[in-house]
Amino acid sequence: MSKELFLEIGTEEIPAGFLPKAMADMEAIVTKELENARLAFGEVKTFATPRRLALVVKGLPTVQPDAEITALGPARNIAFGPDGTPSKAAEGFARGQGVDVASLTLVSTEKGEYVAAVRKESGRPVPDLLAEILSRLVGGIPFRKSMRWADLDVRFARPIHWIVALFDGVVVPFAFGSVQSGNVSRGHRFMANQPFPVRDFAHYLDECERHFVIPDPERRKETIRREIHRVAKTAGGHLLPDEGLLDEVTYLVEYPSVVHGTFSPDFLKVPREVLITSMRSHQRYFSIVDDAGKLMPGFITINNTLTEDPSVVVKGNERVLRARLSDARFFFEEDQKVKLETRVESLKNVVYQQKLGTSYEKMERFRALAEGLADLLNPAVKAKTARAAFLCKADLVSGMVGEFPEVQGIMGREYALLQGEDAEVAAAIAEHYLPTQAGGDLPASDIGAFVSIADKLDTICGCFGVGLIPTGSADPYALRRSALGIINIILDRGCRLSLEGEIGKALELLSAKLTRPAAEVMADVLEFFRGRFVNLMADRYPADAVDAAIAAGFDDLVDAEARIGALAAFKGRPDFDSLAVAFKRVCNIVKEGVDQPVAAALFQEPAEGALFAAFQQVRADVEARTAAGDYLAALTGIAALKGAVDDFFDKVMVMAEDERVRTNRLALLTGVARLFGGVADFAKIAA
């Protein structure tokens, strides 16, 4: 009969950002442990609040199944002498496996015959296994930061105060540090800070509810979502959606309680983004908007306790927010006394990076890059692009951004508008920071896009140029995000440009700062972009189509995606596998290719002439469609060669003894290969 495993780790408050990953890690670890222990199991669910991590596993057996384990030893010729006598190697292997040397058997493998020991392992009681598994599980949860406490030689996100571990209602005994597992949990820290016994998972949920704890984060989240929408409606408005904040506050509370407060309408003179940022980032408050989407003078906050007098809580939150908004209003008013253009000069005193100079120097570099992009892609906006690039970092030295760094760019836009700058220039000042996260909004204008690409490209090339290259665990300058941002902007706006060319311009502007050879930096930066582009495309298209198309070049990212998309669509043909086999065969034979005209006079087999005629018939159309970027049509045209290619390989010996004939045949195949080589490298297609 199947049984249930329940584990709860009770702690001091764990940071909200740690909990979702900890839940996923717990599930992954226990799944792997149970599989390694040969234990069948059913559903695995994890739960988390600031003070506890928990999991339940259904459908476990009471006894581990027996197993027959085969261990490979040395090769037969090493294990036995010519007369079949076991060698010392065989004897040592048998001894290590706990079997008699006479019981060794022979097993055939791809590498030949090897001796093997087959031993039976009796299953152990599952509670004994779980004691070992849970001890490893608790100590194996990886946190971004962990800590030691007291004089214990264990680490966890925060000190552990209790552990509940039950299998079929019986305690699974193990210790972590000074804490021994048991069957006693605790309630809410403030509303029911007392122990309660646990019989099983269902009983645990009931008791938690009685002790003001909701262990399931999804249930807490939906409770909060429902209540904040209700309160916003009661206040006469609508909730300003903020899934990120909702996720965060879900893991800040064990028993959510929603509170509505207000602030003076006078503060609405401050830019909306500043008010929202102040409420969200500093206080974890949700904002309320009216039917037109205009910010209302109110907020919603989530408490971790129920209060007898909510007005006290409301007044406390309003008092704290009033102080924050008063600061914001002060900085907003003071900042307007200085022109953005004047602030640009102050960037000369701001060190961007020690080896890369000041923020002013950086601005001059990416302004030149942005102007070049405008020249290439939309000359009509060149002047506005230059102006936006010149002003876009000026708000970094404003009082508002100094106090609220999250509104950089946004304040530059607001101050630019207030000071009479062109609206498109002002919008680009804010847009040039986009995207700020994976899947985030992209610049809506060419001006913002050009400045964004230029700024990010200067950052990437500069960091690579002085050796600040991301590692597997560290990317302090967010270069991966910048590269993905550039790629997504280019694809979104269809910017036809040479990536290598733009990197070259950036490196030329950085020449005085580089501490590494420019050619070496160029190669590294291109490979860095290639990796990001491959990963992005692999999320949208088959991996082999991505690899094959990129092998034919990715300098023009828009063109590369078009080739990937065409190849992915072409793969949907029912005859694609046979086509791929034929074209891969061509690629594998010609390799680097032969650069000489095909001489029909050297043909010795009709199949040679037939392939040459078919090639000539489709070449002009295929090349024209390839040049026009109609890659699916080009591939369809190339597919017409399949019959002639197959017949050629069936009837023609490519590597003829006569060097002239051999070279001529390779030249013919080279022409065919290069016809589809402009779209993709078919050698990389899985078939």
Side-chain angles (χ1 to χ4, degrees), residues 373-440:
L373 287 169
D375 245 344
L376 176 68
L377 300 169
N378 186 356
V381 300
K382 181 178 179 180
K384 291 182 180 180
T385 299
R387 182 64 175 173
F390 179 70
L391 295 174
C392 70
K393 301 297 183 184
D395 66 346
L396 294 179
V397 291
S398 67
M400 182 71 85
V401 174
E403 181 70 12
F404 303 97
E406 302 93 334
V407 295
Q408 60 184 2
I410 294 169
M411 293 317 303
R413 177 192 65 201
E414 296 300 318
Y415 294 147
L417 289 172
L418 288 168
Q419 293 167 12
E421 291 288 342
D422 181 90
E424 290 182 308
V425 170
I429 291 173
E431 289 179 350
H432 95 280
Y433 283 106
L434 301 177
T436 57
Q437 60 186 4

Side-chain angles (χ1 to χ4, degrees), residues 599-620:
L602 292 174
F603 293 159
Q604 295 181 344
E605 300 288 344
E608 291 178 271
L611 177 58
F612 186 53
F615 169 67
Q616 289 184 310
Q617 183 177 352
V618 304
R619 179 173 59 179

Side-chain angles (χ1 to χ4, degrees), residues 45-285:
K45 291 190 69 174
T46 55
F47 307 88
T49 78
R51 293 188 70 216
R52 64 200 76 219
L53 287 163
L55 72 82
V56 61
V57 182
K58 304 282 190 178
L60 283 164
T62 56
V63 179
Q64 181 189 39
D66 297 340
E68 187 174 85
I69 299 173
T70 301
L72 286 182
R76 178 178 183 172
N77 62 337
I78 296 174
F80 299 103
D83 60 353
T85 303
S87 67
K88 289 185 177 181
E91 292 173 349
F93 170 67
R95 189 166 49 251
Q97 294 298 316
V99 299
D100 189 271
V101 70
S103 69
L104 295 178
T105 62
L106 290 174
V107 175
S108 295
T109 73
E110 293 179 355
K111 298 181 179 179
E113 285 191 308
Y114 286 75
V115 296
V118 180
R119 55 189 173 84
K120 291 186 177 180
E121 186 176 284
S122 297
R124 297 169 57 193
V126 168
D128 294 348
L129 290 169
L130 292 178
E132 300 167 6
I133 289 172
L134 295 182
S135 180
R136 290 193 295 268
L137 168 61
V138 176
I141 302 171
F143 295 99
R144 290 202 301 271
K145 292 182 180 179
S146 56
M147 60 183 293
R148 287 193 174 96
W149 58 98
D151 57 352
L152 303 174
D153 191 25
V154 294
R155 300 179 71 91
F156 205 74
R158 290 295 184 269
I160 294 176
H161 290 287
W162 76 86
I163 295 175
V164 177
L166 301 173
F167 179 65
D168 193 26
V170 178
V171 171
V172 179
F174 73 94
F176 187 78
S178 60
V179 180
Q180 183 69 40
S181 62
N183 67 342
V184 177
S185 183
R186 298 193 67 87
H188 192 285
R189 184 171 185 176
F190 303 109
M191 294 190 291
N193 192 10
Q194 58 194 38
F196 60 85
V198 178
R199 293 195 303 268
D200 54 32
F201 178 59
H203 182 242
Y204 169 77
L205 291 180
D206 290 341
E207 287 298 299
C208 280
E209 197 81 22
R210 290 182 58 244
H211 290 81
F212 299 99
V213 174
I214 302 176
D216 185 351
E218 286 304 313
R219 187 171 162 224
R220 291 199 306 276
K221 183 176 181 178
E222 289 311 308
T223 298
I224 295 169
R225 187 195 304 277
R226 182 180 63 251
E227 286 299 296
I228 55 181
H229 278 285
R230 180 187 63 79
V231 170
K233 186 175 181 180
T234 301
H238 307 280
L239 185 78
L240 182 67
D242 193 334
E243 283 296 313
L245 181 57
L246 178 57
D247 288 338
E248 183 177 3
V249 298
T250 294
Y251 289 100
L252 287 172
V253 297
E254 290 200 308
Y255 199 83
S257 172
V258 179
V259 174
H260 170 242
T262 62
F263 57 84
S264 171
D266 289 344
F267 288 121
L268 293 176
K269 297 174 183 176
V270 177
R272 163 195 174 103
E273 288 85 354
V274 174
L275 299 178
I276 294 171
T277 298
S278 183
M279 289 188 281
R280 184 196 195 283
S281 301
H282 298 279
Q283 306 302 134
R284 309 295 186 271
Y285 294 167

Side-chain angles (χ1 to χ4, degrees), residues 459-539:
T459 298
I460 294 169
C461 291
C463 287
F464 270 78
V466 297
L468 300 174
I469 301 173
T471 64
S473 59
D475 185 9
Y477 290 89
L479 302 188
R480 293 186 181 92
R481 188 178 72 193
S482 291
L484 276 173
I486 290 172
I487 292 168
N488 279 314
I489 293 170
I490 287 174
L491 296 180
D492 177 66
R493 305 201 72 77
C495 299
R496 302 301 299 269
L497 53 82
S498 165
L499 183 60
E500 183 174 356
E502 295 307 315
I503 293 170
K505 294 174 187 175
L507 292 176
E508 185 177 347
L509 291 165
L510 281 157
S511 59
K513 305 290 186 182
L514 300 180
T515 60
R516 302 172 60 213
E520 185 180 298
V521 178
M522 169 69 83
D524 286 350
V525 172
L526 277 172
E527 183 57 29
F528 185 67
F529 270 98
R530 184 184 183 281
R532 309 285 80 70
F533 186 61
V534 167
N535 290 340
L536 182 65
M537 293 295 101
D539 288 338

